[in-house]
Amino acid sequence: MDLTTRYLGLELRNPLVAGAGPLTGELDNIRRLEDAGVGAVVLPSVFEEQIEQEQHLIDEFTTAGVDSYAEALSYFPAQTVYAMDPERYVDLVQRAVKAVDIPVVASLNGVTDQGWINYARRIEEAGASAIELNIYFIPSDLALSGREVEQRYLDVLKAVKETVTCPVAVKIGPYFSAIGHMALQLDEAGADGLVLFNRFYEPDIDLARLALVSDLELSRPYEIRLPLLWIGILSGRIKASLAASTGVDSINEVVKYLLAGADVIMTTSSLLRHGIGHVGQILAGLESWLAARDLETLQTIRGRMSHRNIADPTAFERANYIKVLQDYAIGGRRAD
Ligand SMILES: Cc1cc2nc3c(=O)[nH]c(=O)nc-3n(C[C@H](O)[C@H](O)[C@H](O)COP(=O)(O)O)c2cc1C
């Protein structure tokens, strides 16, 4: 059975990608993920704040008496266990590229088009097959218009594209008033792929301590709905590859994303929940799903249920909303 897939112009043996997360930050896991069968790995992110911080430290050592970096140091948790310092990150990319034959995608995480972008070149020189650019931006400044926010995404992408020649995927969240148009603009600005979607970790409030708390819950399959909708709408309508990210736990979500039109399907939570061996189960499940329908390649199902290909595309839109409400009412589940 042929599961080969093109993503960002790269040839992958299959569409299952180990998404950015803590597992892919360890060389041993990267090797195990390759052995388990993934088509590619995305390393955890290195953050703009870390890169800037390191640059300030270098400036401090080379510019005696200047103490201007103190503030920069305070806005990133320096003792973070998760995030890797930029030097170690380059080292990880180099070692990973040497250790495995599958594509290694490095992840840059930032929101400005400033000096930190030069670091992308180091990642490319370290041998990364591609860069995933995670733009995790919360526009809390009420003066910022939607247009300005969109421009920021485009500026960051353009700056990275001008710095490297390897393919660049952009990982975005779903909170735009016109996701389709944003996707189109990123496509036109040279994004080789879009990763849909970033999962935002909104803070909660601890009522006992009256403090904001941050935590992280692994995703659940019901969360595929939003990326599924937008992958379905975008499929076949932009040049950039489409990567689905969020909610994969089993073969079911993988097949649904393929039917909607995803080129690759990323999973982070399922591997943390079930272990690296889960990769084998998903891939075996995908092969049996196709075999049970006498299908030899993924081309026969990819995008088959996209907005462009289904008989009634309004099912992706308002009609679905009205139908859902109607079904609920007819089902007699009203409060009375
Ligand atoms: C523990 C953890 C760490 C993560 N770290 C990163 C990261 O460094 N960079 C990034 O772009 N996404 C990161 N993510 C987000 C995942 O790559 C992914 O987009 C998100 O979890 C949704 O996919 P999932 O449902 O397969 O988990 C992280 C997710 C988890 C659960």
Side-chain angles (χ1 to χ4, degrees):
M1 183 157 306
D2 179 13
L3 298 183
T4 52
T5 294
R6 273 192 93 68
Y7 176 57
L8 310 176
L10 306 166
E11 188 78 29
L12 272 53
R13 57 182 165 171
N14 67 59
L16 189 66
V17 173
L23 274 181
T24 55
E26 302 278 339
L27 192 62
D28 191 42
N29 288 335
I30 296 173
R31 283 204 192 93
R32 288 176 56 213
L33 283 161
E34 178 181 51
D35 292 344
V38 293
V41 289
V42 185
L43 304 186
S45 298
V46 61
F47 297 85
E48 170 178 357
E49 291 83 347
Q50 288 171 284
I51 298 164
E52 290 289 341
Q53 179 174 311
E54 188 177 72
Q55 192 51 49
H56 281 292
L57 285 170
I58 292 167
D59 290 350
E60 158 72 359
F61 287 130
T62 52
T63 327
V66 177
D67 190 22
S68 60
Y69 69 99
E71 190 194 348
L73 283 183
S74 65
Y75 65 51
F76 196 78
Q79 301 309 321
T80 173
V81 184
Y82 178 55
M84 213 175 289
D85 77 62
E87 284 308 315
R88 270 186 58 212
Y89 196 82
V90 170
D91 187 52
L92 173 69
V93 175
Q94 275 168 344
R95 287 187 300 133
V97 168
K98 276 203 197 110
V100 295
D101 291 326
I102 51 174
V104 173
V105 180
S107 167
L108 286 183
N109 199 313
V111 291
T112 74
D113 60 354
Q114 304 301 307
W116 74 282
I117 300 275
N118 292 327
Y119 180 79
R121 193 171 298 125
R122 296 197 54 206
I123 296 287
E124 180 172 42
E125 285 164 2
S129 300
I131 288 177
E132 186 172 290
L133 178 62
N134 182 334
I135 307 178
Y136 188 112
F137 180 59
I138 311 281
S140 58
D141 176 353
L142 305 194
L144 270 182
S145 69
R147 183 73 207 100
E148 286 166 314
V149 172
E150 291 182 4
Q151 191 57 47
R152 179 183 278 255
Y153 279 71
L154 297 171
D155 290 345
V156 181
L157 170 64
K158 279 181 192 156
V160 174
K161 285 293 288 183
E162 278 163 17
T163 308
V164 294
T165 55
C166 67
V168 178
V170 189
K171 187 172 184 178
I172 58 171
Y175 305 118
F176 294 93
S177 54
I179 296 179
H181 187 64
M182 182 75 244
L184 194 62
Q185 289 182 88
L186 290 166
D187 190 40
E188 284 167 359
D192 300 277
L194 299 181
V195 183
L196 309 177
F197 286 116
N198 233 333
R199 229 168 139 238
F200 283 87
Y201 301 116
E202 296 87 359
D204 195 2
I205 293 179
D206 180 327
L207 289 178
R209 295 190 297 121
L210 285 189
L212 285 184
V213 286
S214 326
D215 56 4
L216 184 155
E217 282 195 24
L218 299 180
S219 69
R220 296 280 166 192
Y222 70 82
E223 292 179 60
I224 72 166
R225 299 287 185 99
L226 193 54
L228 193 73
L229 173 85
W230 281 103
I231 286 171
I233 291 178
L234 291 170
S235 169
R237 296 165 82 183
I238 59 172
K239 295 188 297 295
S241 312
L242 293 172
S245 171
T246 297
V248 170
D249 196 56
S250 72
I251 173 62
N252 293 348
E253 293 77 55
V254 171
V255 174
K256 289 177 191 180
Y257 273 137
L258 286 167
L259 286 167
D263 293 296
V264 296
I265 291 91
M266 298 183 169
T267 181
T268 297
S269 290
S270 80
L271 302 181
L272 291 170
R273 189 178 286 125
H274 307 294
I276 289 175
H278 193 55
V279 167
Q281 287 182 23
I282 293 185
L283 289 173
L286 179 57
E287 294 210 351
S288 354
W289 195 92
L290 292 168
R293 288 156 186 83
D294 284 331
L295 302 170
E296 282 296 319
T297 73
L298 294 175
Q299 294 321 322
T300 41
I301 62 163
R302 192 177 270 121
R304 188 156 149 194
M305 302 205 57
S306 67
H307 187 270
R308 217 168 65 143
N309 288 339
I310 55 165
D312 177 16
T314 62
F316 272 100
E317 301 165 15
R318 206 172 146 79
N320 177 55
Y321 163 66
I322 296 169
K323 181 174 181 312
V324 166
L325 299 186
Q326 247 168 13
D327 288 353
Y328 192 82
I330 293 165
R333 272 166 265 157
R334 285 166 299 182
D336 58 342

